[in-house]
C-alpha cells in the first residue's frame, strides 16, 4: 500500500538525517548565528563538564559535536 511505502520512505529519510548528525548541525548553526547564547552555553558547559574534563578527558575527546562547538570559539 502506498501509504505504508510513504511512511517507510519518510522513516529512512529521517533516519539518514539523524545518523548524519542533522540535529546537531542545526544546533551548531543556531549557535553560530546567536553568539550571546553560544557564550552562555559555553560557560554553562565549562562549569558542568569540568569534573569530566579533569578526570576523564578522553571521554570528552570522543564527543564530536561538543568538540566542534568548543573549537568554534
Amino acid at each position: 500500500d502506498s501509504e505504508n511505502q510513504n511512511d517507510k520512505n519518510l522513516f529512512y529519510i529521517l533516519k539518514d538525517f539523524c545518523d548524519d548528525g542533522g540535529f546537531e548541525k542545526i544546533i551548531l548553526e543556531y549557535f553560530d548565528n546567536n553568539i550571546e547564547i553560544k557564550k552562555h552555553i559555553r560557560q554553562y558547559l565549562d562549569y558542568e563538564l569540568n569534573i569530566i574534563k579533569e578526570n576523564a578527558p578522553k571521554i570528552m575527546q570522543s564527543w564530536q559535536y561538543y568538540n566542534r562547538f568548543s573549537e568554534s570559539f
Side-chain angles (χ1 to χ4, degrees), residues 4-56:
N4 273 345
Q5 187 60 42
N6 286 340
D7 288 347
K8 286 180 183 178
N9 290 342
L10 289 174
F11 170 79
Y12 286 113
I13 290 169
L14 183 57
K15 182 181 180 320
D16 289 345
F17 176 78
C18 293
D19 289 349
D20 190 37
F23 289 111
E24 292 87 348
K25 290 175 183 175
I26 289 171
I27 292 167
L28 290 173
E29 184 177 329
Y30 174 81
F31 287 144
D32 286 341
N33 293 319
N34 296 277
I35 301 302
E36 289 304 312
I37 292 172
K38 183 178 179 177
K39 288 178 186 177
H40 288 291
I41 295 296
R42 173 76 186 262
Q43 285 179 313
Y44 175 78
L45 291 174
D46 285 347
Y47 174 78
E48 291 295 329
L49 299 174
N50 192 44
I51 291 173
I52 296 172
K53 188 181 286 186
E54 289 177 0
N55 297 302

